Amino acid sequence: MDIPALLAGLPARLSAIPAHWAARAPDAPALHEGGRSWTYAQLRHSVEHAAQLLRQLDVRAGDRLMVVGENCALQVALIFAAASIDAWIVNVNARLSAREIDTIAAHSSARRVLFLAGASPEAAAHAARLGAASAMVDGMGELLAGDLNAAAIAEDTVSGNEQVAALIYTTGTTGQSKGVMLTHRNLLFIAAVSSTLRGLSSTDRAYGVLPISHVYGLASVALGTLYAGAALYLVPRFSVDGLLSALKDDGLTIVQGVPAMYAKLLQTLGGAETPLPTRLRFAYAGGSPLAPSLKHEVEKLLGTALHNGYGMTESAPTISQTRLETPRLDDSVGTPIPGVEVRVVDVAGMDVSPGEPGELWIRGPNIMAGYYREPAMTAATMRDGGWLNTGDMARQDPDGALFIVGRTKELIIRSGFNVYPLEVETALNAHPSVVQSAVVGRTVADGNEDVIAYVELDPQHPVTVQALQDYLAQTLSPYKCPSAIIVMEALPAAATGKILKGQLRQMAQNTL
Protein backbone atom coordinates (compact mmCIF):
# COMPACT_ATOMS: atom_id res chain seq x y z
CA MET A 1 0.00 0.00 0.00
CA ASP A 2 1.44 3.37 -1.05
CA ILE A 3 0.88 5.35 2.15
CA PRO A 4 2.26 8.72 0.91
CA ALA A 5 -0.08 8.54 -2.10
CA LEU A 6 -2.99 7.50 0.12
CA LEU A 7 -2.39 10.40 2.49
CA ALA A 8 -2.03 12.85 -0.38
CA GLY A 9 -5.33 11.67 -1.80
CA LEU A 10 -7.36 12.04 1.38
CA PRO A 11 -10.04 14.74 1.19
CA ALA A 12 -10.10 17.69 3.53
CA ARG A 13 -13.30 16.73 5.34
CA LEU A 14 -15.33 13.63 6.23
CA SER A 15 -18.28 15.13 4.37
CA ALA A 16 -16.50 14.33 1.10
CA ILE A 17 -17.45 10.65 1.58
CA PRO A 18 -21.20 10.90 0.87
CA ALA A 19 -20.59 13.63 -1.73
CA HIS A 20 -18.16 11.39 -3.62
CA TRP A 21 -20.47 8.38 -3.80
CA ALA A 22 -23.58 10.47 -4.48
CA ALA A 23 -21.83 11.78 -7.60
CA ARG A 24 -20.37 8.41 -8.62
CA ALA A 25 -23.10 5.93 -7.63
CA PRO A 26 -26.15 7.91 -6.51
CA ASP A 27 -28.54 4.96 -6.43
CA ALA A 28 -26.23 2.60 -4.54
CA PRO A 29 -27.46 1.67 -1.03
CA ALA A 30 -25.69 3.57 1.75
CA LEU A 31 -27.65 3.10 4.96
CA HIS A 32 -30.23 0.67 6.24
CA GLU A 33 -32.10 1.02 9.51
CA GLY A 34 -35.13 -0.92 10.73
CA GLY A 35 -36.55 -1.79 7.33
CA ARG A 36 -35.79 1.57 5.74
CA SER A 37 -32.93 2.32 3.33
CA TRP A 38 -31.14 5.39 1.99
CA THR A 39 -29.12 5.63 -1.19
CA TYR A 40 -25.96 7.71 -1.34
CA ALA A 41 -27.90 10.45 -3.15
CA GLN A 42 -30.52 10.48 -0.40
CA LEU A 43 -27.83 10.50 2.28
CA ARG A 44 -26.12 13.51 0.66
CA HIS A 45 -29.47 15.33 0.48
CA SER A 46 -30.09 14.77 4.19
CA VAL A 47 -26.53 15.81 5.05
CA GLU A 48 -26.98 19.09 3.19
CA HIS A 49 -30.33 19.72 4.88
CA ALA A 50 -28.86 18.87 8.30
CA ALA A 51 -26.03 21.35 7.67
CA GLN A 52 -28.61 24.06 6.95
CA LEU A 53 -30.39 23.19 10.18
CA LEU A 54 -27.17 23.42 12.18
CA ARG A 55 -26.53 26.90 10.81
CA GLN A 56 -30.08 27.88 11.76
CA LEU A 57 -29.35 26.58 15.26
CA ASP A 58 -26.34 28.93 15.30
CA VAL A 59 -23.73 26.17 15.35
CA ARG A 60 -20.51 27.71 14.02
CA ALA A 61 -17.19 26.47 12.68
CA GLY A 62 -15.08 25.37 15.64
CA ASP A 63 -18.10 24.75 17.88
CA ARG A 64 -18.64 21.42 19.59
CA LEU A 65 -21.91 19.77 18.55
CA MET A 66 -22.97 17.10 21.02
CA VAL A 67 -25.28 14.38 19.69
CA VAL A 68 -26.92 12.08 22.25
CA GLY A 69 -28.38 8.92 20.77
CA GLU A 70 -27.75 5.41 19.55
CA ASN A 71 -26.87 4.09 16.11
CA CYS A 72 -29.24 5.44 13.48
CA ALA A 73 -29.17 7.03 10.03
CA LEU A 74 -29.78 10.52 11.41
CA GLN A 75 -26.66 10.21 13.57
CA VAL A 76 -24.58 9.40 10.49
CA ALA A 77 -26.05 12.36 8.60
CA LEU A 78 -25.22 14.70 11.48
CA ILE A 79 -21.60 13.50 11.57
CA PHE A 80 -21.15 14.49 7.94
CA ALA A 81 -23.19 17.68 8.34
CA ALA A 82 -21.04 18.84 11.26
CA ALA A 83 -17.92 18.08 9.23
CA SER A 84 -19.19 20.17 6.32
CA ILE A 85 -19.49 23.30 8.50
CA ASP A 86 -16.27 22.62 10.47
CA ALA A 87 -18.04 21.87 13.75
CA TRP A 88 -16.64 19.15 16.02
CA ILE A 89 -19.00 16.19 16.45
CA VAL A 90 -19.28 14.87 20.03
CA ASN A 91 -21.21 11.59 19.79
CA VAL A 92 -22.42 10.40 23.19
CA ASN A 93 -24.29 7.19 23.93
CA ALA A 94 -27.74 7.90 25.32
CA ARG A 95 -27.44 5.09 27.84
CA LEU A 96 -25.04 7.19 29.92
CA SER A 97 -26.48 8.66 33.11
CA ALA A 98 -27.76 12.22 33.40
CA ARG A 99 -24.64 13.13 35.40
CA GLU A 100 -22.35 11.72 32.71
CA ILE A 101 -24.26 13.49 29.92
CA ASP A 102 -24.10 16.82 31.76
CA THR A 103 -20.39 16.39 32.58
CA ILE A 104 -19.47 15.83 28.92
CA ALA A 105 -21.63 18.74 27.79
CA ALA A 106 -19.91 21.01 30.32
CA HIS A 107 -16.36 19.83 29.63
CA SER A 108 -16.75 20.10 25.86
CA SER A 109 -18.62 23.40 26.20
CA ALA A 110 -21.03 22.15 23.54
CA ARG A 111 -22.73 24.91 21.57
CA ARG A 112 -25.80 22.72 21.14
CA VAL A 113 -26.84 19.29 22.40
CA LEU A 114 -29.04 17.32 20.02
CA PHE A 115 -31.03 14.25 21.03
CA LEU A 116 -31.98 11.41 18.68
CA ALA A 117 -35.08 9.98 20.31
CA GLY A 118 -36.30 7.90 17.37
CA ALA A 119 -33.95 5.00 18.06
CA SER A 120 -33.44 5.55 21.79
CA PRO A 121 -35.93 5.96 24.65
CA GLU A 122 -33.01 7.05 26.83
CA ALA A 123 -32.26 9.92 24.43
CA ALA A 124 -35.92 10.95 24.65
CA ALA A 125 -35.70 10.98 28.45
CA HIS A 126 -32.57 13.15 28.41
CA ALA A 127 -34.25 15.53 25.94
CA ALA A 128 -37.34 15.82 28.14
CA ARG A 129 -35.20 16.49 31.22
CA LEU A 130 -33.46 19.37 29.42
CA GLY A 131 -36.51 20.76 27.61
CA ALA A 132 -35.20 20.15 24.09
CA ALA A 133 -37.32 21.36 21.15
CA SER A 134 -38.28 19.50 17.98
CA ALA A 135 -36.55 20.06 14.64
CA MET A 136 -36.60 18.12 11.36
CA VAL A 137 -33.97 16.86 8.94
CA ASP A 138 -35.44 16.21 5.51
CA GLY A 139 -35.32 12.54 4.62
CA MET A 140 -34.28 11.48 8.12
CA GLY A 141 -36.92 12.73 10.54
CA GLU A 142 -37.03 14.44 13.91
CA LEU A 143 -34.34 15.43 16.34
CA LEU A 144 -34.64 17.37 19.59
CA ALA A 145 -32.39 20.40 20.10
CA GLY A 146 -31.28 21.70 23.47
CA ASP A 147 -30.80 25.36 24.30
CA LEU A 148 -28.02 27.41 22.74
CA ASN A 149 -24.91 27.69 24.89
CA ALA A 150 -24.11 31.33 24.21
CA ALA A 151 -20.96 31.09 26.34
CA ALA A 152 -19.35 28.47 24.07
CA ILE A 153 -16.19 29.72 22.40
CA ALA A 154 -15.49 28.46 18.89
CA GLU A 155 -12.07 26.87 18.40
CA ASP A 156 -9.79 27.92 15.55
CA THR A 157 -10.24 26.08 12.24
CA VAL A 158 -7.71 25.10 9.61
CA SER A 159 -8.15 24.58 5.89
CA GLY A 160 -6.46 21.16 5.62
CA ASN A 161 -7.58 17.87 7.06
CA GLU A 162 -5.68 18.50 10.31
CA GLN A 163 -8.86 20.23 11.51
CA VAL A 164 -10.44 18.44 14.49
CA ALA A 165 -13.45 16.42 13.34
CA ALA A 166 -14.55 14.53 16.44
CA LEU A 167 -14.22 14.79 20.18
CA ILE A 168 -14.59 11.30 21.65
CA TYR A 169 -14.93 10.78 25.37
CA THR A 170 -13.42 7.57 26.65
CA THR A 171 -15.46 5.30 28.88
CA GLY A 172 -13.19 5.99 31.83
CA THR A 173 -12.85 2.32 32.87
CA THR A 174 -9.66 3.02 34.82
CA GLY A 175 -10.00 6.63 35.85
CA GLN A 176 -10.94 10.05 34.56
CA SER A 177 -12.89 10.21 31.32
CA LYS A 178 -10.97 12.17 28.68
CA GLY A 179 -12.00 13.98 25.50
CA VAL A 180 -9.83 12.72 22.64
CA MET A 181 -9.46 15.11 19.70
CA LEU A 182 -9.38 13.25 16.37
CA THR A 183 -8.80 15.11 13.12
CA HIS A 184 -10.36 14.53 9.71
CA ARG A 185 -6.98 13.14 8.65
CA ASN A 186 -6.91 10.69 11.56
CA LEU A 187 -10.36 9.31 10.76
CA LEU A 188 -10.04 9.35 6.97
CA PHE A 189 -6.70 7.54 7.16
CA ILE A 190 -8.20 4.74 9.25
CA ALA A 191 -11.30 4.57 7.03
CA ALA A 192 -9.15 4.32 3.90
CA VAL A 193 -6.69 1.76 5.25
CA SER A 194 -9.41 -0.29 6.92
CA SER A 195 -11.53 -0.52 3.80
CA THR A 196 -8.50 -1.30 1.61
CA LEU A 197 -7.04 -4.04 3.83
CA ARG A 198 -10.44 -5.71 4.04
CA GLY A 199 -11.13 -5.43 0.33
CA LEU A 200 -14.47 -3.65 0.80
CA SER A 201 -16.55 -2.90 -2.28
CA SER A 202 -20.01 -1.58 -3.10
CA THR A 203 -21.41 -5.12 -2.86
CA ASP A 204 -20.56 -5.45 0.82
CA ARG A 205 -23.12 -5.19 3.60
CA ALA A 206 -21.64 -4.38 7.01
CA TYR A 207 -23.34 -4.80 10.37
CA GLY A 208 -23.30 -1.48 12.24
CA VAL A 209 -24.06 -2.57 15.80
CA LEU A 210 -20.94 -1.23 17.53
CA PRO A 211 -21.83 2.18 19.00
CA ILE A 212 -20.86 5.06 16.73
CA SER A 213 -20.25 7.01 19.93
CA HIS A 214 -17.18 4.78 20.29
CA VAL A 215 -14.21 5.16 17.97
CA TYR A 216 -14.36 1.53 16.77
CA GLY A 217 -17.95 1.96 15.62
CA LEU A 218 -17.29 5.40 14.16
CA ALA A 219 -14.02 5.00 12.26
CA SER A 220 -13.54 1.33 11.48
CA VAL A 221 -17.17 0.29 10.99
CA ALA A 222 -19.20 3.32 9.88
CA LEU A 223 -16.62 5.46 8.08
CA GLY A 224 -14.65 2.46 6.81
CA THR A 225 -17.78 0.98 5.25
CA LEU A 226 -19.02 4.21 3.66
CA TYR A 227 -15.55 5.19 2.44
CA ALA A 228 -15.69 2.10 0.24
CA GLY A 229 -19.19 2.85 -1.05
CA ALA A 230 -20.61 -0.19 0.75
CA ALA A 231 -23.89 -0.43 2.69
CA LEU A 232 -24.08 0.02 6.46
CA TYR A 233 -26.83 -1.81 8.35
CA LEU A 234 -27.40 0.26 11.48
CA VAL A 235 -28.63 -1.29 14.74
CA PRO A 236 -29.06 0.74 17.95
CA ARG A 237 -27.99 -2.05 20.29
CA PHE A 238 -26.88 -5.67 20.17
CA SER A 239 -29.12 -8.68 20.59
CA VAL A 240 -28.46 -12.25 19.54
CA ASP A 241 -31.86 -12.47 17.80
CA GLY A 242 -31.11 -9.26 15.91
CA LEU A 243 -27.77 -10.56 14.67
CA LEU A 244 -29.24 -13.91 13.65
CA SER A 245 -32.02 -12.14 11.76
CA ALA A 246 -29.57 -9.84 9.98
CA LEU A 247 -27.37 -12.75 8.95
CA LYS A 248 -30.39 -14.60 7.57
CA ASP A 249 -32.47 -11.81 6.03
CA ASP A 250 -30.04 -9.01 5.16
CA GLY A 251 -27.25 -11.06 3.60
CA LEU A 252 -24.51 -9.48 5.68
CA THR A 253 -21.02 -9.95 4.28
CA ILE A 254 -19.14 -8.29 7.17
CA VAL A 255 -19.60 -8.49 10.92
CA GLN A 256 -17.42 -6.52 13.32
CA GLY A 257 -17.93 -6.84 17.03
CA VAL A 258 -16.41 -7.26 20.45
CA PRO A 259 -15.60 -10.68 21.95
CA ALA A 260 -18.50 -10.41 24.43
CA MET A 261 -20.91 -10.19 21.49
CA TYR A 262 -19.64 -13.41 19.98
CA ALA A 263 -19.61 -15.12 23.40
CA LYS A 264 -23.30 -14.24 23.88
CA LEU A 265 -24.08 -15.63 20.43
CA LEU A 266 -22.43 -18.95 21.29
CA GLN A 267 -24.07 -19.07 24.70
CA THR A 268 -27.56 -18.53 23.25
CA LEU A 269 -27.10 -21.14 20.54
CA GLY A 270 -25.61 -23.64 22.95
CA GLY A 271 -22.29 -23.85 21.13
CA ALA A 272 -21.00 -24.14 17.58
CA GLU A 273 -22.12 -27.65 16.71
CA THR A 274 -24.63 -26.40 14.12
CA PRO A 275 -22.87 -23.90 11.80
CA LEU A 276 -24.95 -20.94 10.63
CA PRO A 277 -25.60 -20.49 6.91
CA THR A 278 -24.24 -17.03 6.09
CA ARG A 279 -22.83 -14.95 3.24
CA LEU A 280 -20.03 -13.60 5.42
CA ARG A 281 -16.69 -12.84 3.79
CA PHE A 282 -15.10 -12.29 7.19
CA ALA A 283 -15.73 -11.38 10.80
CA TYR A 284 -13.61 -9.19 13.06
CA ALA A 285 -13.24 -8.79 16.80
CA GLY A 286 -11.71 -5.91 18.69
CA GLY A 287 -12.15 -3.69 21.71
CA SER A 288 -11.03 -6.32 24.23
CA PRO A 289 -8.89 -9.48 24.30
CA LEU A 290 -10.01 -12.40 22.13
CA ALA A 291 -9.38 -15.81 23.68
CA PRO A 292 -8.18 -18.45 21.17
CA SER A 293 -10.87 -20.85 22.41
CA LEU A 294 -13.62 -18.32 21.68
CA LYS A 295 -12.06 -17.52 18.30
CA HIS A 296 -12.07 -21.21 17.34
CA GLU A 297 -15.71 -21.76 18.34
CA VAL A 298 -16.93 -18.62 16.54
CA GLU A 299 -15.12 -19.67 13.36
CA LYS A 300 -16.86 -23.04 13.49
CA LEU A 301 -20.23 -21.35 13.98
CA LEU A 302 -19.85 -18.68 11.27
CA GLY A 303 -17.89 -20.77 8.79
CA THR A 304 -15.29 -18.05 8.28
CA ALA A 305 -12.17 -16.72 9.96
CA LEU A 306 -12.62 -14.47 12.98
CA HIS A 307 -9.90 -11.86 12.67
CA ASN A 308 -8.47 -9.91 15.55
CA GLY A 309 -7.24 -6.37 15.93
CA TYR A 310 -5.99 -3.87 18.44
CA GLY A 311 -6.34 -0.15 18.89
CA MET A 312 -7.35 2.67 21.20
CA THR A 313 -9.34 5.88 21.01
CA GLU A 314 -6.12 7.91 20.84
CA SER A 315 -5.13 6.15 17.59
CA ALA A 316 -8.49 6.53 15.85
CA PRO A 317 -8.47 3.50 16.71
CA THR A 318 -6.61 0.89 14.66
CA ILE A 319 -2.97 0.03 15.41
CA SER A 320 -2.77 -3.55 14.19
CA GLN A 321 -4.96 -6.28 12.74
CA THR A 322 -4.69 -9.76 11.34
CA ARG A 323 -4.87 -9.99 7.56
CA LEU A 324 -7.60 -11.65 5.53
CA GLU A 325 -5.06 -13.54 3.45
CA THR A 326 -3.21 -14.96 6.47
CA PRO A 327 -5.62 -15.91 9.28
CA ARG A 328 -3.97 -16.79 12.59
CA LEU A 329 -4.74 -19.53 15.08
CA ASP A 330 -3.24 -17.79 18.12
CA ASP A 331 -4.18 -14.72 20.14
CA SER A 332 -2.04 -12.27 18.17
CA VAL A 333 -3.65 -8.93 17.36
CA GLY A 334 -1.89 -9.00 13.99
CA THR A 335 0.76 -6.80 12.48
CA PRO A 336 0.76 -2.99 12.48
CA ILE A 337 -1.36 -1.53 9.71
CA PRO A 338 0.49 0.21 6.85
CA GLY A 339 1.67 3.66 7.84
CA VAL A 340 1.80 2.92 11.58
CA GLU A 341 5.14 2.38 13.32
CA VAL A 342 5.53 0.60 16.65
CA ARG A 343 8.21 0.31 19.31
CA VAL A 344 8.34 -2.03 22.30
CA VAL A 345 10.44 -0.36 25.01
CA ASP A 346 11.67 -0.84 28.56
CA VAL A 347 11.19 1.55 31.48
CA ALA A 348 14.06 3.70 30.16
CA GLY A 349 12.44 4.05 26.75
CA MET A 350 14.98 1.76 25.05
CA ASP A 351 13.86 -0.88 22.53
CA VAL A 352 13.71 -4.37 24.00
CA SER A 353 14.89 -7.50 22.18
CA PRO A 354 12.42 -9.11 19.72
CA GLY A 355 9.98 -11.33 21.57
CA GLU A 356 10.56 -9.61 24.91
CA PRO A 357 7.63 -7.80 26.59
CA GLY A 358 7.71 -4.04 27.03
CA GLU A 359 5.61 -0.91 26.78
CA LEU A 360 4.11 -0.30 23.37
CA TRP A 361 4.68 3.05 21.66
CA ILE A 362 3.12 3.97 18.31
CA ARG A 363 3.48 6.66 15.65
CA GLY A 364 1.52 7.41 12.49
CA PRO A 365 -1.16 9.51 10.74
CA ASN A 366 -3.79 8.16 13.15
CA ILE A 367 -2.37 9.72 16.34
CA MET A 368 -4.76 12.10 18.10
CA ALA A 369 -4.35 15.86 18.24
CA GLY A 370 -4.44 15.57 22.05
CA TYR A 371 -6.84 15.54 24.98
CA TYR A 372 -9.23 18.49 24.88
CA ARG A 373 -8.39 21.11 27.51
CA GLU A 374 -5.88 18.74 29.12
CA PRO A 375 -2.39 19.80 27.99
CA ALA A 376 -0.64 18.14 30.93
CA MET A 377 -2.43 14.86 30.29
CA THR A 378 -1.52 15.09 26.60
CA ALA A 379 2.14 15.73 27.40
CA ALA A 380 2.18 12.75 29.78
CA THR A 381 0.99 10.45 26.98
CA MET A 382 3.16 11.72 24.11
CA ARG A 383 6.90 11.06 23.69
CA ASP A 384 9.61 12.82 21.69
CA GLY A 385 9.47 12.25 17.95
CA GLY A 386 5.68 12.03 17.74
CA TRP A 387 5.42 8.71 19.59
CA LEU A 388 2.36 7.93 21.69
CA ASN A 389 2.69 5.71 24.76
CA THR A 390 -0.27 3.34 24.62
CA GLY A 391 0.05 2.29 28.25
CA ASP A 392 -0.18 -1.32 27.09
CA MET A 393 2.45 -4.00 27.53
CA ALA A 394 3.17 -6.02 24.39
CA ARG A 395 5.67 -8.27 22.70
CA GLN A 396 6.42 -8.47 18.99
CA ASP A 397 7.48 -11.66 17.24
CA PRO A 398 10.15 -11.59 14.53
CA ASP A 399 7.40 -11.78 11.87
CA GLY A 400 5.98 -8.48 13.18
CA ALA A 401 2.96 -9.97 14.93
CA LEU A 402 1.96 -8.18 18.13
CA PHE A 403 0.73 -9.86 21.30
CA ILE A 404 -0.84 -7.72 24.03
CA VAL A 405 0.36 -8.76 27.47
CA GLY A 406 -1.75 -6.36 29.53
CA ARG A 407 -2.29 -2.80 30.67
CA THR A 408 0.60 -1.11 32.49
CA LYS A 409 -1.82 0.44 34.99
CA GLU A 410 -3.60 -2.89 35.60
CA LEU A 411 -0.41 -4.69 36.65
CA ILE A 412 -0.95 -6.57 39.93
CA ILE A 413 2.02 -6.99 42.29
CA ARG A 414 1.50 -10.17 44.29
CA SER A 415 4.18 -11.28 46.74
CA GLY A 416 6.76 -9.48 44.60
CA PHE A 417 5.62 -11.15 41.37
CA ASN A 418 4.04 -9.37 38.39
CA VAL A 419 0.59 -10.61 37.41
CA TYR A 420 -1.02 -9.30 34.24
CA PRO A 421 -4.82 -9.69 34.43
CA LEU A 422 -5.04 -10.51 30.73
CA GLU A 423 -3.15 -13.78 31.21
CA VAL A 424 -5.53 -14.90 33.98
CA GLU A 425 -8.58 -13.77 31.98
CA THR A 426 -7.40 -15.71 28.92
CA ALA A 427 -7.07 -18.85 31.05
CA LEU A 428 -10.52 -18.37 32.57
CA ASN A 429 -12.18 -17.61 29.24
CA ALA A 430 -10.84 -20.87 27.83
CA HIS A 431 -13.11 -22.80 30.24
CA PRO A 432 -16.33 -23.87 28.45
CA SER A 433 -18.52 -22.60 31.30
CA VAL A 434 -17.09 -19.06 31.32
CA VAL A 435 -18.77 -16.50 29.04
CA GLN A 436 -16.35 -13.73 30.01
CA SER A 437 -14.19 -12.69 32.91
CA ALA A 438 -12.38 -9.73 34.41
CA VAL A 439 -9.44 -9.78 36.82
CA VAL A 440 -8.46 -6.90 39.11
CA GLY A 441 -6.10 -6.31 41.98
CA ARG A 442 -7.15 -5.70 45.57
CA THR A 443 -4.71 -3.89 47.86
CA VAL A 444 -3.93 -5.71 51.11
CA ALA A 445 -1.32 -5.27 53.86
CA ASP A 446 2.19 -3.94 53.17
CA GLY A 447 1.41 -2.82 49.61
CA ASN A 448 0.75 -6.37 48.48
CA GLU A 449 -2.19 -7.20 46.21
CA ASP A 450 -4.64 -10.07 45.87
CA VAL A 451 -5.79 -11.31 42.48
CA ILE A 452 -9.60 -11.14 42.28
CA ALA A 453 -11.52 -12.66 39.35
CA TYR A 454 -15.09 -11.83 38.36
CA VAL A 455 -16.78 -14.27 36.00
CA GLU A 456 -19.99 -14.47 34.02
CA LEU A 457 -21.02 -18.12 33.60
CA ASP A 458 -23.05 -19.99 31.01
CA PRO A 459 -26.10 -21.43 32.86
CA GLN A 460 -26.24 -24.23 30.31
CA HIS A 461 -22.83 -25.47 31.53
CA PRO A 462 -22.89 -25.32 35.35
CA VAL A 463 -19.57 -25.24 37.18
CA THR A 464 -18.48 -24.59 40.76
CA VAL A 465 -16.01 -21.96 41.85
CA GLN A 466 -13.80 -24.73 43.24
CA ALA A 467 -13.80 -26.46 39.85
CA LEU A 468 -12.66 -23.20 38.23
CA GLN A 469 -9.89 -22.84 40.83
CA ASP A 470 -8.75 -26.41 40.16
CA TYR A 471 -8.81 -25.73 36.41
CA LEU A 472 -6.65 -22.63 36.76
CA ALA A 473 -4.21 -24.46 39.02
CA GLN A 474 -3.40 -26.72 36.07
CA THR A 475 -2.54 -23.83 33.72
CA LEU A 476 -1.24 -20.95 35.86
CA SER A 477 1.57 -20.50 38.35
CA PRO A 478 0.28 -20.44 41.95
CA TYR A 479 0.92 -16.71 42.39
CA LYS A 480 -1.25 -15.98 39.32
CA CYS A 481 -4.25 -17.97 40.55
CA PRO A 482 -7.03 -15.75 41.97
CA SER A 483 -7.47 -15.42 45.71
CA ALA A 484 -11.19 -15.30 44.99
CA ILE A 485 -13.45 -16.00 42.04
CA ILE A 486 -16.74 -14.11 42.21
CA VAL A 487 -19.65 -15.13 39.99
CA MET A 488 -21.85 -12.33 38.60
CA GLU A 489 -25.00 -12.62 36.53
CA ALA A 490 -23.55 -10.02 34.19
CA LEU A 491 -20.28 -8.12 34.35
CA PRO A 492 -20.68 -4.31 34.32
CA ALA A 493 -20.00 -3.06 30.82
CA ALA A 494 -20.11 0.08 28.70
CA ALA A 495 -22.39 0.26 25.67
CA THR A 496 -19.49 -1.02 23.57
CA GLY A 497 -19.32 -4.23 25.58
CA LYS A 498 -16.08 -3.12 27.25
CA ILE A 499 -15.99 -4.34 30.85
CA LEU A 500 -15.91 -1.51 33.38
CA LYS A 501 -12.98 -2.65 35.48
CA GLY A 502 -13.02 0.51 37.57
CA GLN A 503 -16.33 -0.59 39.09
CA LEU A 504 -15.02 -4.09 39.71
CA ARG A 505 -11.83 -2.77 41.31
CA GLN A 506 -13.91 -0.66 43.69
CA MET A 507 -16.15 -3.64 44.48
CA ALA A 508 -13.11 -5.80 45.19
CA GLN A 509 -11.61 -3.20 47.52
CA ASN A 510 -14.87 -2.77 49.39
CA THR A 511 -15.00 -6.50 50.17
CA LEU A 512 -11.63 -6.37 51.96
Side-chain angles (χ1 to χ4, degrees):
M1 191 181 300
D2 187 344
I3 295 301
L6 182 147
L7 291 171
L10 293 178
R13 297 292 182 266
L14 297 177
S15 47
I17 295 174
H20 170 83
W21 290 111
R24 187 171 178 176
D27 298 326
L31 304 176
H32 182 95
E33 178 200 339
R36 186 178 175 191
S37 297
W38 290 262
T39 66
Y40 275 96
Q42 290 169 329
L43 173 58
R44 179 182 62 179
H45 170 79
S46 292
V47 169
E48 292 173 346
H49 192 268
Q52 294 176 8
L53 174 62
L54 294 180
R55 293 188 184 96
Q56 292 168 10
L57 292 173
D58 204 15
V59 177
R60 308 159 301 185
D63 277 334
R64 279 71 60 210
L65 174 70
M66 185 165 155
V67 176
V68 179
E70 296 179 69
N71 290 8
C72 61
L74 181 51
Q75 184 182 36
V76 174
L78 286 168
I79 291 168
F80 291 129
S84 72
I85 66 168
D86 280 340
W88 302 13
I89 196 76
V90 188
N91 287 307
V92 177
N93 195 292
R95 282 178 276 172
L96 294 183
S97 68
R99 178 189 61 80
E100 290 169 315
I101 294 288
D102 294 347
T103 297
I104 294 174
H107 185 272
S108 65
S109 188
R111 180 74 164 175
R112 289 275 188 182
V113 181
L114 307 182
F115 303 89
L116 310 182
S120 175
E122 288 83 355
H126 288 302
R129 175 176 67 89
L130 297 172
S134 177
M136 299 295 294
V137 173
D138 194 39
M140 291 287 181
E142 184 187 38
L143 58 79
L144 300 164
D147 292 339
L148 179 73
N149 177 10
I153 298 173
E155 300 289 349
D156 293 338
T157 59
V158 298
S159 57
N161 54 23
E162 296 292 353
Q163 163 73 28
V164 173
L167 184 58
I168 300 180
Y169 281 83
T170 61
T171 53
T173 55
T174 57
Q176 178 185 351
S177 184
K178 306 178 288 288
V180 178
M181 296 183 288
L182 296 178
T183 67
H184 292 267
R185 185 174 187 254
N186 293 153
L187 295 169
L188 287 165
F189 169 74
I190 291 298
V193 171
S194 175
S195 61
T196 301
L197 287 178
R198 296 168 183 177
L200 267 64
S201 73
S202 59
T203 61
D204 277 311
R205 299 180 175 195
Y207 198 47
V209 69
L210 291 173
I212 291 174
S213 54
H214 184 266
V215 68
Y216 186 9
L218 171 63
S220 184
V221 180
L223 296 179
T225 298
L226 299 174
Y227 192 92
L232 180 64
Y233 281 66
L234 291 158
V235 183
R237 57 185 68 182
F238 173 73
S239 73
V240 170
D241 288 343
L243 174 56
L244 291 174
S245 176
L247 288 170
K248 177 178 178 290
D249 300 331
D250 297 330
L252 298 179
T253 62
I254 299 166
V255 170
Q256 292 167 263
V258 293
M261 185 180 99
Y262 296 112
K264 292 290 186 184
L265 177 63
L266 283 167
Q267 178 187 354
T268 301
L269 295 178
E273 298 311 311
T274 305
L276 295 173
T278 76
R279 294 174 54 190
L280 289 177
R281 288 202 301 111
F282 63 82
Y284 257 91
S288 59
L290 174 65
S293 55
L294 175 62
K295 170 181 164 63
H296 176 67
E297 289 297 295
V298 173
E299 289 175 340
K300 282 172 55 180
L301 181 67
L302 298 181
T304 188
L306 178 60
H307 291 274
N308 198 6
Y310 161 72
M312 58 193 303
T313 305
E314 290 85 343
S315 58
T318 313
I319 295 169
S320 67
Q321 63 184 53
T322 57
R323 303 296 195 260
L324 296 185
E325 63 274 14
T326 53
R328 299 186 67 100
L329 302 177
D330 54 22
D331 60 348
S332 168
V333 293
T335 54
I337 63 172
V340 171
E341 302 172 78
V342 302
R343 292 181 63 196
V344 182
V345 305
D346 59 21
V347 292
M350 302 299 292
D351 293 337
V352 301
S353 301
E356 291 295 314
E359 202 162 48
L360 182 64
W361 293 5
I362 61 171
R363 181 169 67 181
N366 54 337
I367 301 303
M368 67 171 181
Y371 297 115
Y372 190 50
R373 295 180 171 172
E374 300 288 353
M377 196 178 295
T378 301
T381 303
M382 299 304 298
R383 299 292 182 267
D384 290 344
W387 293 95
L388 181 143
N389 181 354
T390 66
D392 284 324
M393 297 293 290
R395 63 179 176 84
Q396 188 171 30
D397 278 2
D399 65 358
L402 287 169
F403 295 80
I404 303 303
V405 176
R407 289 286 297 169
T408 306
K409 293 180 180 178
E410 291 181 2
L411 176 67
I412 300 169
I413 309 296
R414 187 180 193 185
S415 302
F417 293 98
N418 290 350
V419 180
Y420 286 101
L422 177 57
E423 183 179 3
V424 185
E425 291 161 0
T426 299
L428 274 167
N429 292 345
H431 193 284
S433 297
V434 176
V435 176
Q436 58 179 342
S437 65
V439 172
V440 299
R442 180 177 65 189
T443 303
V444 291
D446 301 323
N448 198 17
E449 291 181 285
D450 280 341
V451 178
I452 308 297
Y454 291 88
V455 296
E456 185 177 328
L457 299 178
D458 183 350
Q460 299 179 61
H461 299 90
V463 68
T464 65
V465 168
Q466 186 58 53
L468 288 176
Q469 291 279 24
D470 294 343
Y471 171 79
L472 291 179
Q474 300 172 23
T475 59
L476 295 175
S477 301
Y479 70 88
K480 296 178 182 177
C481 291
S483 303
I485 297 178
I486 300 168
V487 177
M488 299 184 72
E489 184 175 341
L491 299 183
T496 60
K498 185 176 183 180
I499 298 170
L500 299 174
K501 282 195 171 181
Q503 291 185 20
L504 294 177
R505 194 172 295 108
Q506 184 175 2
M507 288 170 55
Q509 203 61 43
N510 290 341
T511 60
L512 183 62

